[in-house]
Amino acid sequence: MPGKVAIVAVAQNAGAESKDNFYDQAYVVTKEVLDKVGLTREDLGTIVSASSDIYHGGISCANSYYWETTGAFLKNASRQDGESLFAFFYGVMRILTGHYDTALIISLCKGSENPENDACTLMYTDPFYTRGIGLQETMAAAFQMRLYMERYGISEEQCAKVAVKNLQNALGNPYAHKKGRYTIDDILNSERIIDPLTAMQVAPKSEGIVAVLLASEEKARELTDKPVWFKGYGSSLDSFYLGDRDLLDGQLKNAAERAYKMAGISNPRKEIDLAEITEPYAFQELLWCEDLGFCDTGKGGEFIDSGVTQKDGDLPVNPSGGVLANNPYVSRGLQRIVEATLQLRGEAGERQVNKEVKTALAHGTHGFAGQCHAVAIIGS
Amino acid sequence: MAKEFKTIKTEIRLPYELAYGATWTKFFEGMENEIIYGTKCSKCGRVLVPARSFCPRCFVNTDEWVETAQEGTLTAWSYVNYSYFGQPIKPPFIGALIRLDETDVDFLHLIGGFDLSDFDLVRKTVKNGMRVKAVWSDERKGHVLDIKYFEPA
Ligand SMILES: [Zn+2]
């Protein structure tokens, strides 16, 4: 890589419904991330935001509304529609041009104000064919879950275990929206909304304005004693029609391979100390762990049974509680970067893992059954 | 329900008018006449259904129209038993991916033709890998629901 890029500060707001206004919240989080390193709006080099008109539909247009609240007006700024981890990489690239020494990546979503996630994801479909059948993200996930269980003998209990783990991990996360101590039975006996998925295996709709401040190597050394370095990134996108895809052989493997190559990682299971991944449906954490190369294909159930992914395990996955605990849809990938950064810096408070974290993985996904994936590797 | 803080309820409604284009137009003319059209890619030989103007994998034009079988095998399904804003079909219903015979991708549609209110019955009846066949509506209008659903064959 031509130069190094560091994360120098992060900020986020809490996921539960608040009485605060979107416009003001965006300002508060932006101000907080700049204040953490004493940067003024004038000093800030460039800004890349992430939001989605589908999740922003009630207020103005995502391309016009919040430029001043994120410090972006009069700046060379841009916006990514959809998953915010893609925006993260655009920010990295802007620094690598050599033209900016700082870049703010900010993702905005106030899920509490939106209709149900499924009402929004129904709009991902085309109006000619798939929308008439009522396809939306949760239906696609339910297809995928049944296939996963049947093809590899994964049990409903193993899937539910992800929700038990993540909602318990979230008890240590003041920003998490859903949290608590539940049993596997609690998860499986929650409303069977879309068999085989029960309600507690489906992520909520949460608030999340999430900011990451990037800097060039030289600037980073000036701004912080604890830079977290960008190491690698990869993404991969699958085709639109669900029926064209093998729902158990998706694009995360490709995205991960590209990120590992850039980061020089050959054995992810050994070289990655912690992962924050996007699991809007409980079973997906098991499937994504396979695709990330943390365990063999079809072994995601045994992998969680082994305890490796627990907060005190050898490879903690979602010590923050993940997306089942907090799902600010567009912001969730960038929130994984924030959580991984806090762990690398030893600043994760009650959710800090016990082991030493030197290399961490952040993952984001959007689209049906993992149509699009992005993976980032960061390290101390 | 009123919240403890001041809110405004708002809704965006905008009328759009989208062109079907030649491929969808022919596909839905087929549906009106109880025909399911696919197209075949001459490079990889796959039959894609619903019909496409090009093969996404080979990135070449598809050049042959195929009337596909109306029977096939159930690939994936879920039993939808909850509601959300804008849901186009009243629950409970069964969404499904179906591999029509002699085709190479799955066709998204519904499973039905029996009492869907009893989930235990549904679980006994519906299995991935089972054979299903299309049931046509008497009143067809060039719409995806000209096929009412696929029923166990
Ligand atoms: Zn082809």
Side-chain angles (χ1 to χ4, degrees), chain B residues 41 43-44 46 55 57-58:
Chain B
C41 170
K43 197 166 175 194
C44 66
R46 293 189 307 156
C55 173
R57 200 178 283 176
C58 306

Side-chain angles (χ1 to χ4, degrees), chain A residues 105-254:
Chain A
I105 319 305
I106 183 158
S107 182
L108 308 102
C109 189
K110 198 167 190 302
S112 66
E113 297 183 336
N114 293 342
E116 304 93 319
N117 287 332
D118 293 325
C120 295
T121 66
L122 177 69
M123 295 300 129
Y124 295 6
T125 57
D126 73 277
F128 306 107
Y129 166 45
T130 51
R131 196 173 303 162
I133 303 296
L135 180 66
Q136 29 76 3
E137 192 186 77
T138 308
M139 186 197 278
F143 289 167
Q144 188 180 38
M145 178 178 173
R146 192 188 312 282
L147 285 170
Y148 184 48
M149 292 192 299
E150 289 183 0
R151 193 174 300 173
Y152 297 116
I154 307 287
S155 69
E156 282 193 298
E157 287 74 16
Q158 287 169 324
C159 299
K161 231 180 218 187
V162 174
V164 172
K165 169 177 75 70
N166 291 357
L167 293 171
Q168 181 167 333
N169 285 350
L171 287 167
N173 182 355
Y175 299 99
H177 177 191
K178 300 284 180 189
K179 52 185 88 177
R181 234 170 263 284
Y182 299 99
T183 64
I184 289 173
D185 282 345
D186 292 334
I187 306 298
L188 293 180
N189 293 332
S190 62
E191 196 185 349
R192 195 160 280 272
I193 54 171
I194 179 161
D195 182 78
L197 278 166
T198 59
M200 289 182 78
Q201 296 178 69
V202 177
K205 60 186 181 85
S206 312
E207 302 195 4
I209 294 172
V210 174
V212 170
L213 188 64
L214 301 175
S216 63
E217 180 170 13
E218 193 186 346
K219 189 71 178 177
R221 305 244 183 244
E222 188 186 307
L223 293 174
T224 179
D225 298 332
K226 288 199 265 183
V228 167
W229 302 102
F230 169 78
K231 304 272 187 185
Y233 172 91
S235 70
S236 192
L237 320 176
D238 215 330
S239 56
F240 176 73
Y241 292 104
L242 205 59
D244 289 11
R245 295 163 45 195
D246 179 341
L247 299 186
L248 299 186
D249 188 13
Q251 292 308 306
L252 181 52
K253 282 175 219 160
N254 283 337

Side-chain angles (χ1 to χ4, degrees), chain A residues 28-49:
Chain A
V28 168
V29 174
T30 304
K31 185 80 174 159
E32 182 186 334
V33 83
L34 295 179
D35 284 351
K36 277 182 173 169
V37 290
L39 206 68
T40 66
R41 197 189 84 78
E42 287 70 29
D43 295 335
L44 185 56
T46 184
I47 292 158
V48 183
S49 67

